[in-house]
Amino acid sequence: MNNDIRIGILTISDRASQGEYEDKGGPAIRDWLTLAIKGAWEAIARIISDDEVLIEATLRELSDREGCCLIITTGGTGPALRDVTPEATEKVCSKMLPGFGEQMRSVSLASVPTAILSRQTAGIRGQSLIINLPGKPAAIAECLHAVFPAVPYCIDLIGGPYLETHPDFCASFRPVGARRG
Amino acid sequence: MNNDIRIGILTISDRASQGEYEDKGGPAIRDWLTLAIKGAWEAIARIISDDEVLIEATLRELSDREGCCLIITTGGTGPALRDVTPEATEKVCSKMLPGFGEQMRSVSLASVPTAILSRQTAGIRGQSLIINLPGKPAAIAECLHAVFPAVPYCIDLIGGPYLETHPDFCASFRPVGARRG
Amino acid sequence: MNNDIRIGILTISDRASQGEYEDKGGPAIRDWLTLAIKGAWEAIARIISDDEVLIEATLRELSDREGCCLIITTGGTGPALRDVTPEATEKVCSKMLPGFGEQMRSVSLASVPTAILSRQTAGIRGQSLIINLPGKPAAIAECLHAVFPAVPYCIDLIGGPYLETHPDFCASFRPVGARRG
């Protein structure tokens, strides 16, 4: 099996996509993943506006053409009119994983009561796991620490490459009897 | 900007709407809001039966015609045949906020194991935030304390008026850099 | 009223349905219910493959023809391609109860971080409560302990028979004023 690990990092922000604002979410995700993942992996980064059709098209491209086993979005998860990332995610996924959103909100609630406004979710499209993160860089590490331990095993279950993490930084978990790399 | 604060309070109950039963949920919501909100606001109260089409029509009226920035329902969130408030809410909203239901159930679980039967949710219609509360008056204050700290900032994000709360009773939260009233 | 308590136990597994694998989930559910429920009840057990149309048909049969007030499934709740139990459940239910999945994931998270991959849910079809459990026998008792205290009152609310539990093993809860058996 091809064990190339390609990860899509998708920044969704009207202002960042127009250069009015420096993208901080995308680099924060890349930095976190660099500390977490053992061995080689490739980042496929994109910055787009909060346009639902464009988000859907970009998620499809990162999954179907770029072959990303994991796609992490940042931005567009709030209640404002232009926040449509969760809707676009649900539209391109065949199944949803509500536990990701529950767990991220639960962890963020310890920091801010407005965590309940975050609508982020996760889902599966083909052999890609798509996870929405909030736009605020401060929340990115917090959310990744909360859900990433389950990500390598999830990617196993959908037929993707074998990911390993640095246990001191992020202790990923596979049940006894799960396949080895 | 118009800073009129109009809040819809919608009691959904077959028995209360037919006068067989005194509405306790609506007044409990109004009393709680009176203690929580600083400054003037206007309550637009309605009592209707558990009829899905009527609930949808009333939510639309409170949002589109009455201009309520916040609509709080009570009743119709359980598993019984006539409990259809969450379905009606989802039908009229353009986006859902699952964190509200998660947080309310999580808080109510500390009191009763049957909290998992509550299907209440929240969502956005235009410039209105719609929140479902259970029908039982005892659960109303508990649920409002659990989610109201996030409500003023949510209303900011959907372009509504600037709400302030009495911090001793309900400590609402806005991130650093959020607009001021 | 007919107080016959019939409970569907539905094992959903390609391997178990083809005899390649002994069904451990179904018997684990039956054993747990035997310890929990006071008085007579009848188990209607089925073992089927992870086929969405077949799952839907079997859930309809257990609800509509077999008259089960409760249907507990095991298996098919993960992120893999063949895991479609939650989708089939949602298809046959008129209303969903998201609190069940939230509570089961929350309890399982104390054991394993991969609990967020479980997509299990619960819902109502006519006079039947349908609850999805994971496939792993170890998680079955944990999940049933987490949600069963709310099950008898839920069955009351949808017009089913009066269930009682052994309080030392599973302390079910009905609010003051709920009907008696």
Side-chain angles (χ1 to χ4, degrees):
Chain A
M1 201 201 66
N2 185 346
N3 206 59
D4 276 4
I5 297 170
R6 294 166 66 81
I7 300 181
I9 299 176
L10 178 55
T11 301
I12 299 165
S13 160
D14 285 336
R15 287 181 299 168
S17 69
Q18 288 154 20
E20 288 173 26
Y21 186 90
E22 188 194 353
D23 173 27
K24 288 181 178 155
I29 293 170
R30 187 194 287 248
D31 291 348
W32 194 94
L33 293 176
T34 300
L35 293 170
I37 298 175
K38 213 189 259 183
W41 64 280
E42 192 182 345
I44 319 289
R46 299 274 189 280
I47 306 179
I48 60 173
S49 66
D50 290 281
D51 177 285
E52 194 171 338
V53 172
L54 181 58
I55 302 170
E56 289 173 31
T58 310
L59 290 172
R60 280 194 204 98
E61 183 214 334
L62 290 169
S63 171
D64 307 353
R65 283 221 301 273
E66 296 288 355
C68 296
C69 61
L70 175 63
I71 302 166
I72 303 181
T73 71
T74 169
T77 58
L81 189 60
R82 294 284 293 169
D83 292 325
V84 293
T85 301
E87 282 74 18
T89 300
E90 194 156 353
K91 208 75 81 62
V92 303
C93 285
S94 60
K95 55 187 59 161
M96 301 308 295
L97 293 157
F100 279 74
E102 289 164 21
Q103 174 65 354
M104 289 190 273
R105 280 185 287 274
S106 162
V107 164
S108 295
L109 262 174
S111 314
V112 285
T114 45
I116 60 170
L117 305 181
S118 256
R119 309 186 304 115
Q120 69 229 46
T121 187
I124 305 294
R125 175 182 176 83
Q127 292 189 308
S128 310
L129 166 62
I130 303 175
I131 305 174
N132 302 326
L133 299 185
K136 299 222 160 68
I140 284 175
E142 187 176 63
C143 286
L144 283 171
H145 273 297
V147 300
F148 210 84
V151 166
Y153 182 53
C154 184
I155 292 173
D156 291 354
L157 291 172
I158 58 174
Y162 193 82
L163 246 81
E164 287 183 280
T165 58
H166 293 291
D168 290 350
F169 184 77
C170 169
S172 63
F173 176 84
R174 284 177 167 96
V176 175
R179 74 171 171 141
R180 297 188 187 175
Chain B
M1 203 202 64
N2 184 346
N3 207 59
D4 276 3
I5 297 170
R6 294 166 66 80
I7 300 180
I9 298 175
L10 178 55
T11 301
I12 299 166
S13 160
D14 285 334
R15 288 180 299 168
S17 70
Q18 287 155 21
E20 289 172 25
Y21 185 91
E22 189 194 352
D23 172 27
K24 287 181 179 157
I29 293 170
R30 187 194 287 246
D31 290 349
W32 193 94
L33 294 176
T34 301
L35 293 170
I37 298 174
K38 213 187 261 183
W41 64 281
E42 192 181 346
I44 319 289
R46 298 276 188 280
I47 304 179
I48 62 173
S49 66
D50 290 281
D51 176 286
E52 194 171 339
V53 172
L54 181 58
I55 301 169
E56 288 173 32
T58 310
L59 289 172
R60 281 195 203 98
E61 183 214 333
L62 290 169
S63 171
D64 307 353
R65 282 220 301 274
E66 295 289 355
C68 296
C69 61
L70 175 64
I71 302 167
I72 302 180
T73 70
T74 170
T77 60
L81 189 61
R82 295 284 294 168
D83 291 325
V84 292
T85 301
E87 282 74 18
T89 300
E90 193 155 355
K91 208 76 81 63
V92 303
C93 284
S94 61
K95 55 186 58 159
M96 301 308 295
L97 295 157
F100 279 74
E102 288 163 20
Q103 174 66 354
M104 289 190 273
R105 279 184 288 273
S106 161
V107 164
S108 294
L109 261 173
S111 313
V112 285
T114 45
I116 60 171
L117 305 181
S118 257
R119 307 186 307 114
Q120 70 229 49
T121 187
I124 305 293
R125 175 182 175 84
Q127 293 189 310
S128 309
L129 167 61
I130 304 176
I131 305 173
N132 302 326
L133 300 185
K136 299 223 160 67
I140 284 175
E142 187 176 63
C143 285
L144 283 171
H145 273 296
V147 300
F148 210 85
V151 165
Y153 182 53
C154 184
I155 293 173
D156 290 355
L157 292 172
I158 58 173
Y162 193 81
L163 244 82
E164 287 183 280
T165 57
H166 294 290
D168 291 349
F169 184 77
C170 169
S172 63
F173 175 84
R174 284 177 168 95
V176 174
R179 75 172 170 139
R180 294 183 190 183
Chain C
M1 203 202 64
N2 184 345
N3 208 60
D4 276 2
I5 297 171
R6 293 166 67 81
I7 300 181
I9 299 176
L10 178 55
T11 301
I12 299 166
S13 161
D14 285 336
R15 287 182 296 169
S17 70
Q18 287 155 20
E20 289 173 26
Y21 185 90
E22 188 194 354
D23 173 27
K24 286 180 179 157
I29 294 170
R30 187 195 287 247
D31 290 349
W32 194 93
L33 293 176
T34 300
L35 293 170
I37 298 174
K38 214 188 259 182
W41 63 280
E42 191 182 347
I44 319 289
R46 297 275 189 279
I47 304 179
I48 60 173
S49 66
D50 289 282
D51 176 286
E52 194 171 339
V53 172
L54 181 59
I55 302 170
E56 289 173 33
T58 310
L59 289 172
R60 280 194 204 98
E61 183 213 333
L62 290 169
S63 171
D64 307 353
R65 282 219 302 273
E66 295 289 354
C68 296
C69 61
L70 175 64
I71 302 167
I72 303 181
T73 71
T74 169
T77 59
L81 190 60
R82 294 284 293 169
D83 292 325
V84 293
T85 302
E87 282 74 18
T89 301
E90 193 154 356
K91 207 76 81 62
V92 303
C93 285
S94 59
K95 55 187 58 161
M96 300 309 294
L97 294 157
F100 279 73
E102 289 163 21
Q103 173 66 354
M104 289 191 275
R105 279 185 287 275
S106 161
V107 164
S108 295
L109 261 173
S111 314
V112 286
T114 44
I116 61 171
L117 305 181
S118 256
R119 309 186 305 114
Q120 69 229 47
T121 188
I124 305 293
R125 174 181 176 85
Q127 292 188 309
S128 309
L129 167 61
I130 303 176
I131 305 173
N132 302 327
L133 299 186
K136 298 222 162 67
I140 284 175
E142 188 176 64
C143 285
L144 283 171
H145 273 296
V147 300
F148 210 85
V151 166
Y153 183 52
C154 184
I155 292 174
D156 291 356
L157 292 172
I158 59 174
Y162 193 81
L163 244 82
E164 287 183 278
T165 58
H166 293 291
D168 290 349
F169 183 76
C170 169
S172 63
F173 175 84
R174 285 177 167 94
V176 175
R179 76 172 170 138
R180 298 190 186 176

